[in-house]
């Protein structure tokens, strides 16, 4: 049978039929879903030249009823499906979809099976690009099939290749149109398969944030589906309304359409409340007009919008919980607006405290930080840091409440955060002191009680390498047990990024000497020229049984002499401290103390230009730590004897060298 196409004063070629092959394929997939299909497969084969030989799109929908053929295929720009039951399709194709094959093919052939009462029938429809004005179809025959469905086969394909029909190309194109549809109908096992591989809507939809909610308002049941997109979408963030037959009855932008946090979302509402209604919303002059005449219906719609808003707000809160950490990290690493803190334990505690509070503020209201200028953001964070570091930290809550209206629950949660971070700082401080004192007591045992079994290389040095804070929190460990030349190379590399300075060093015999510990950093020591000095420290360690004599002191002075002879280390803006540490000092060293006591520096035995040499006992090192931490220790009522006993219990089964080895392992593990 030949069916003429009713053009209705518009030519097919100028009707706006898509020329995009991906959009054309989507049209045929939509046709299947509009026919109540749950599974649509897209299959194709290639010819010898890697072009597409044949393309087949198959669905398990209702098929095309032969008796209605003239109303569907015969009526161009008038689709019965679109007029009667728009299946969750926001834009009708107006009957043009079946002509979309002309974008990539010359011929299209439909084989369809439909149910006529209780009988299954099938027939074939043929169309060609050179005779678009007529449709050739066979007479329906009784079918052996027991399921309805339609298969459309495209041949004489002239533009499709293996490259533009790859799964990595088709899947994103289909997901752009159908991800939300597949997600909403996942319980009905709706799927699209491309050459045997199912496309995955989770690549486009954040299923962890998306949610379905059922609410009852004045006797009407509403199914609300919030869909959260993984990427930004070109459309406005809209709420779509469907009746119980999935016919679209209207849409409106959500109240979060212009949100500044990239929470990309759409809302789909389905309810019998929208049955028998032509239109529920209309846009006039950019305003959304409620088309309900009944005040009761308008009130129901208002309550519905309130429920939708609550659902979106709940999910935005979850979304911001993740984004808040990213935003604060950007303040630290990218924009550099976060306050700088010392690299010691106390400094890091304060930094973590400010991070946690800033994250919570961002969760409460990200707009506080939105579009702030660099100096404004830096000032705000600096102000927060000052409050948190003072006795006024509770006032942070009062200030935030003047900017953002907090619910009772939000206020309670934020108050707990302020108290929690304060308590965490106290706990961290206690643990910090405990860990440091364990190392002190451990070293005391090695130096004083196990003197004859301990040496510098296997014990003392290994411990100091991991706990160089004993000589100053402000220094970074640059190298350990390296020859002088390598140590200086490492020093230069850390501060300036230089890799090899061998050629610039003089060939001194001291190159073969070894530095036990080499600590360096640029410490902010102001000068009269309002600049800073680079303060460095070199430490010479000896076995506990070796006293600090003139010979040991001469060794550390040799290090100093070597550094002074290197022109690249002689700047007036560099300061060097060379320290020798032993259990005891001899009379010569004590005489040197006297010679430099007018400098007011404990342990100083020599000074020249920008270099200082110190001779310290282990007791000097331990006592310095105790003096610095005395206020904290007194407040915490710290029991040092208990710490020492705890350590001894751990190594009670060992003796001599084994005990020293065991204590060293404990110290290394504690770092």
């Amino acid at each position: 049978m030949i069916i003429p196409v009713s053009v209705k004063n518009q030519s097919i070629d100028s009707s706006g039929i898509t020329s995009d092959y991906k959009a054309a394929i989507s049209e045929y997939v939509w046709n299947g879903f509009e026919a109540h299909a749950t599974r649509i497969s897209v299959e194709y084969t290639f010819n010898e030249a890697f072009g597409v030989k044949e393309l087949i799109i198959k669905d398990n929908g209702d098929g095309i009823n032969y008796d209605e053929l003239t109303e569907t295929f015969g009526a161009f720009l008038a689709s019965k499906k679109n007029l009667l039951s728009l299946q969750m399709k926001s834009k009708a194709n107006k009957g043009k979809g079946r002509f979309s094959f002309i974008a990539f093919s010359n011929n299209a052939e439909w084989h369809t099976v439909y149910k006529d009462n209780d009988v299954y029938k099938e027939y074939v429809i043929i169309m060609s690009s050179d005779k678009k004005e007529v449709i050739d179809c066979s007479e329906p025959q009784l079918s052996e099939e027991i399921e309805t469905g339609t298969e459309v086969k495209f041949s004489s394909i002239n533009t499709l290749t293996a490259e533009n029909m790859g799964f990595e190309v088709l899947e994103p194109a289909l997901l752009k149109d159908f991800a939300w549809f597949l997600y909403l109908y996942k319980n009905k096992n709706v799927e699209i398969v491309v050459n045997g591989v199912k496309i995955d809507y989770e690549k486009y939809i954040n299923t962890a944030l998306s949610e379905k909610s059922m609410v009852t308002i004045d006797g009407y049941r509403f199914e609300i589906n919030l869909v959260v997109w993984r990427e930004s979408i070109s459309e406005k963030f809209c709420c779509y309304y469907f009746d119980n037959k999935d016919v679209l009855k209207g849409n409106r932008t959500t109240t979060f359409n212009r949100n500044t946090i990239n929470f990309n979302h759409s809302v789909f509402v389905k309810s019998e409340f929208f049955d028998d209604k032509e239109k529920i919303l209309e846009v006039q002059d950019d305003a959304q007009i409620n088309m309900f005449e009944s005040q009761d219906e308008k009130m129901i719609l208002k309550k519905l919008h309130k429920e939708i808003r609550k659902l979106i707000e709940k999910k935005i809160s979850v979304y911001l919980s993740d984004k808040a950490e990213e935003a604060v990290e950007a303040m630290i690493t990218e924009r550099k607006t976060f306050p700088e803190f010392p690299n010691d334990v106390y400094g890091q505690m304060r930094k973590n405290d400010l991070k946690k509070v800033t994250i919570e503020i961002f969760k409460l209201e990200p707009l506080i930080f939105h579009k702030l200028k660099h100096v404004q953001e830096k000032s705000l964070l600096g102000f927060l840091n000052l409050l948190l570091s003072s006795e006024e930290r509770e006032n942070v809550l009062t200030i935030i409440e003047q900017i953002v209206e907090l619910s009772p629950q939000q206020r309670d949660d934020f108050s707990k955060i302020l108290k929690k971070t304060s308590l965490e700082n106290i706990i961290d401080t206690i643990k910090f002191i405990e860990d440091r004192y364990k190392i002190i007591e451990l070293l005391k045992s090695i130096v004083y009680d196990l003197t004859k079994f301990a040496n510098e290389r296997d014990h003392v040095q290994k411990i100091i390498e991991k706990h160089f804070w004993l000589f100053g929190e402000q220094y970074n460990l640059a190298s350990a047990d390296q020859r002088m030349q390598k140590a200086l190379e490492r020093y230069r590399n850390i501060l300036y990024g230089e890799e090899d300075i061998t050629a610039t060093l003089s060939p001194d015999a001291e190159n073969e000497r070894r530095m036990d510990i080499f600590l360096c950093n640029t410490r902010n020591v102001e000068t009269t020229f309002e600049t800073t000095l680079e303060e460095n420290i070199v430490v010479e360690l000896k076995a506990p049984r070796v006293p600090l004599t003139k010979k040991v002191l001469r060794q550390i002075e040799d290090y100093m002499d070597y550094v002074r002879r290197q022109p690249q280390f002689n700047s007036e803006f560099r300061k060097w401290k060379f320290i020798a540490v032993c259990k005891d000092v001899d009379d010569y060293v004590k005489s040197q103390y006297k010679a430099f006591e007018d400098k007011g520096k404990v342990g100083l035995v020599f000074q020249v230009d920008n270099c200082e040499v110190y001779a310290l006992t282990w007791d000097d090192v331990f006592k310095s730590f105790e003096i610095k931490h005395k206020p904290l220790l007194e407040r915490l009522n710290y029991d040092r004897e208990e710490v020492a006993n705890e350590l001894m219990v751990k190594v009670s089964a060992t003796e001599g060298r084994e005990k020293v080895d065991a204590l060293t392992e404990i110290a290394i593990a504690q770092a």
Side-chain angles (χ1 to χ4, degrees):
M1 179 177 73
I2 301 297
I3 301 176
V5 176
S6 175
V7 177
K8 293 188 177 179
N9 298 321
Q10 295 188 55
S11 72
I12 295 173
D13 288 331
S14 62
S15 63
I17 294 175
T18 180
S19 59
D20 180 359
Y21 74 96
K22 289 178 286 190
I25 291 173
S26 287
E27 290 284 3
Y28 292 103
V29 174
W30 273 125
N31 286 342
F33 284 136
E34 289 180 330
H36 307 105
T38 58
R39 187 180 193 275
I40 295 177
S41 66
V42 179
E43 300 173 0
Y44 48 88
T45 57
F46 298 113
N47 55 33
E48 294 79 2
F50 297 102
V52 175
K53 179 181 179 182
E54 188 176 69
L55 171 64
I56 298 173
I57 299 177
K58 185 176 181 179
D59 68 65
N60 63 350
D62 296 335
I64 305 169
N65 192 304
Y66 185 84
D67 294 334
E68 300 173 351
L69 193 58
T70 55
E71 299 177 37
T72 53
F73 271 72
F76 183 60
L77 294 178
S79 170
K80 182 173 181 180
K81 291 192 296 292
N82 290 329
L83 292 172
L84 297 181
S85 57
L86 184 59
Q87 296 295 320
M88 298 289 283
K89 186 177 180 183
S90 57
K91 295 180 181 179
N93 63 27
K94 297 184 179 179
K96 295 185 291 188
R98 58 185 170 273
F99 292 94
S100 298
F101 71 91
I102 64 176
F104 58 85
S105 171
N106 292 323
N107 300 310
E109 180 180 310
W110 285 260
H111 176 261
T112 184
V113 178
Y114 68 101
K115 196 172 184 180
D116 186 5
N117 294 321
D118 294 327
V119 178
Y120 289 91
K121 295 181 179 180
E122 62 181 290
Y123 64 99
V124 175
I125 304 168
I126 299 175
M127 294 180 67
S128 62
S129 60
D130 58 347
K131 293 183 179 180
K132 295 183 287 291
E133 71 279 3
V134 295
I135 299 168
D136 187 6
C137 65
S138 64
E139 294 294 326
Q141 304 291 328
L142 292 177
S143 176
E144 295 181 358
E145 300 286 343
I146 57 173
E147 289 185 352
T148 59
T150 299
E151 176 183 291
V152 56
K153 182 186 300 182
F154 306 99
S155 57
S156 297
I157 297 171
N158 46 38
T159 59
L160 304 185
T161 65
E163 183 178 0
N164 57 30
M165 285 293 286
F167 186 81
E168 69 280 1
V169 176
L170 280 185
E171 185 186 40
L174 291 170
L175 285 175
K176 182 180 179 181
D177 287 337
F178 300 103
W180 61 275
F181 186 86
L182 297 175
Y183 172 74
L184 293 184
Y185 279 87
K186 58 184 180 294
N187 293 335
K188 293 184 178 180
N189 298 317
V190 173
E191 62 183 12
I192 300 173
V193 179
V194 177
N195 271 7
V197 182
K198 184 164 67 173
I199 69 171
D200 183 8
Y201 61 79
E202 291 193 27
K203 293 180 180 178
Y204 264 50
I205 294 176
N206 186 329
T207 54
L209 288 174
S210 301
E211 184 174 319
K212 176 181 176 180
S213 176
M214 302 294 294
V215 298
T216 301
I217 302 174
D218 295 351
Y220 290 99
R221 192 74 168 156
F222 293 89
E223 177 185 302
I224 305 171
N225 277 284
L226 171 64
V227 174
V228 181
W229 306 99
R230 292 194 181 278
E231 304 292 340
S232 60
I233 57 176
S234 57
E235 296 84 1
K236 292 181 178 180
F237 303 154
C238 283
C239 181
Y240 300 93
Y241 305 92
F242 299 89
D243 65 16
N244 256 355
K245 294 181 180 179
D246 293 334
V247 178
L248 179 65
K249 292 301 181 75
N251 66 80
R252 60 170 282 173
T253 57
T254 72
T255 54
F256 297 89
N257 190 52
R258 291 183 176 85
N259 77 75
T260 58
I261 55 174
N262 297 320
F263 185 73
N264 302 293
H265 63 281
S266 301
V267 181
F268 302 88
V269 183
K270 178 179 176 179
S271 174
E272 60 182 348
F273 176 70
F274 304 117
D275 290 353
D276 305 321
K277 293 180 175 62
E278 290 298 320
K279 188 187 295 184
I280 62 171
L281 289 167
E282 185 175 272
V283 178
Q284 296 178 4
D285 299 326
D286 292 329
Q288 295 174 136
I289 309 300
N290 190 326
M291 300 301 289
F292 286 117
E293 296 181 359
S294 165
Q295 285 299 121
D296 291 340
E297 289 179 331
K298 289 182 179 180
M299 185 56 65
I300 290 173
L301 200 60
K302 185 176 181 180
K303 292 178 181 178
L304 172 63
H305 294 157
K306 186 176 181 181
E307 293 294 331
I308 293 171
R309 182 179 179 86
K310 283 169 56 179
L311 178 60
I312 296 175
E313 285 179 340
K314 183 181 77 170
K315 288 301 178 179
I316 284 180
S317 178
V318 176
Y319 173 78
L320 288 178
S321 296
D322 298 329
K323 291 295 179 182
E325 294 187 12
E326 292 180 20
V328 174
E329 196 58 37
M331 297 173 189
I332 299 171
T333 59
E334 295 176 20
R335 297 194 293 278
K336 309 291 185 183
T337 55
F338 212 75
E340 293 186 5
F341 295 88
N343 201 29
D344 54 39
V345 176
Y346 297 123
Q348 294 309 299
M349 285 180 186
R350 290 174 55 210
K351 181 179 180 179
N352 289 334
D353 183 31
L354 180 59
K355 279 180 66 175
K356 289 175 183 177
V357 172
T358 306
I359 286 170
E360 291 306 314
I361 293 175
F362 191 94
K363 290 179 185 177
L364 287 174
E365 182 49 82
L367 289 178
I368 291 178
F369 297 97
H370 181 60
K371 291 187 178 179
L372 284 182
K373 294 181 179 179
H374 185 277
V375 67
Q376 292 173 324
E377 185 173 89
K378 191 169 186 177
S379 299
L380 175 58
L381 292 169
F383 175 65
L384 279 173
N385 183 43
L386 286 175
L387 280 180
L388 293 174
S389 302
S390 71
E391 298 296 324
E392 304 296 323
R393 65 182 289 121
E394 292 295 333
N395 286 335
V396 173
L397 178 59
T398 304
I399 294 168
I400 293 301
E401 283 191 307
Q402 293 177 4
I403 303 173
V404 183
E405 184 179 349
L406 302 180
S407 67
Q409 184 62 49
Q410 286 176 319
R411 190 186 195 286
D412 184 55
D413 290 344
F414 191 65
S415 177
K416 288 177 180 176
I417 286 292
L418 291 174
K419 292 175 182 176
K420 180 183 177 183
T421 54
S422 179
L423 179 60
E424 284 176 347
N425 284 343
I426 294 171
I427 294 172
D428 288 344
T429 302
I430 294 172
K431 177 104 173 31
F432 163 71
I433 297 297
E434 284 181 349
D435 290 344
R436 291 287 167 94
Y437 242 102
K438 284 179 182 178
I439 301 304
I440 295 291
E441 296 302 326
L442 185 149
L443 270 171
K444 284 181 179 179
S445 296
I446 291 176
V447 172
Y448 300 131
D449 302 330
L450 301 167
T451 304
K452 63 180 180 179
F453 304 109
N455 64 59
E456 72 271 21
R457 193 74 61 192
D458 299 320
H459 305 116
V460 178
Q461 181 179 314
K462 284 186 176 180
I463 294 172
I464 300 304
E465 284 178 17
K466 298 295 183 181
H467 301 281
F468 54 89
W469 45 265
L470 278 161
F471 295 96
E473 296 281 0
Q474 69 270 32
Y475 300 106
N476 292 325
L477 184 62
S479 64
D481 194 28
Q482 296 182 356
R483 293 180 181 181
M484 173 69 82
Q485 179 174 316
K486 293 296 183 184
L488 290 175
E489 286 175 1
R490 180 66 175 145
Y491 162 78
R492 187 90 171 195
N493 177 257
I494 284 178
L495 293 186
Y496 307 109
E498 296 181 12
E499 296 183 358
D500 186 7
I501 62 167
T502 305
T504 65
L505 294 175
S506 62
D508 288 280
E510 284 89 340
N511 282 359
E512 297 304 310
R513 293 184 178 275
R514 288 178 178 271
M515 288 185 183
D516 291 308
I517 297 291
F518 181 50
L519 307 172
C520 75
N521 198 352
T522 303
R523 183 184 180 190
N524 293 329
V525 180
E526 290 190 4
T527 71
T528 54
F529 296 102
E530 298 182 352
T531 56
T532 59
L533 294 177
E534 292 178 0
E535 188 174 64
N536 307 279
I537 178 171
V538 177
V539 182
E540 171 72 6
L541 299 169
K542 292 299 179 184
R545 62 181 176 276
V546 178
L548 208 168
T549 62
K550 183 177 182 179
K551 181 180 179 181
V552 173
L553 202 56
R554 184 61 245 172
Q555 187 176 6
I556 197 74
E557 289 175 354
D558 287 346
Y559 294 154
M560 178 193 69
D561 291 340
Y562 174 78
V563 170
R564 292 183 64 213
R565 283 196 295 274
Q566 308 310 316
Q568 66 271 43
F569 298 127
N570 280 337
S571 170
E572 289 296 318
F573 298 106
R574 283 197 183 89
K575 186 176 182 181
W576 292 81
K577 289 185 178 180
F578 299 87
I579 303 173
V581 184
C582 293
K583 186 172 72 170
D584 302 303
V585 299
D586 67 1
D587 291 339
Y588 172 79
V589 174
K590 291 177 182 177
S591 68
Q592 290 299 105
Y593 289 159
K594 285 284 185 181
F596 288 89
E597 65 181 353
D598 62 313
K599 303 296 182 181
K601 297 181 179 181
V602 176
L604 182 67
V605 294
F606 189 75
Q607 183 177 14
V608 59
D609 297 332
N610 59 346
C611 298
E612 296 176 342
V613 179
Y614 292 83
L616 300 176
T617 65
W618 279 111
D619 189 47
D620 291 331
V621 176
F622 299 149
K623 197 63 183 176
S624 175
F625 176 83
E626 290 180 14
I627 291 171
K628 289 176 182 176
H629 296 82
K630 184 178 179 181
L632 282 172
L633 293 171
E634 289 178 347
R635 288 189 181 187
L636 297 173
N637 193 24
Y638 202 76
D639 191 340
R640 285 171 282 180
E641 289 296 325
E642 184 177 338
V643 173
N645 292 335
E646 180 185 331
L647 286 170
M648 289 304 103
V649 168
K650 289 184 178 180
V651 295
S652 58
T654 59
E655 292 295 335
R657 175 61 184 262
E658 289 183 359
K659 181 172 285 190
V660 181
D661 290 343
L663 288 171
T664 302
E665 290 302 316
I666 292 173
I668 292 172
Q670 196 101 19

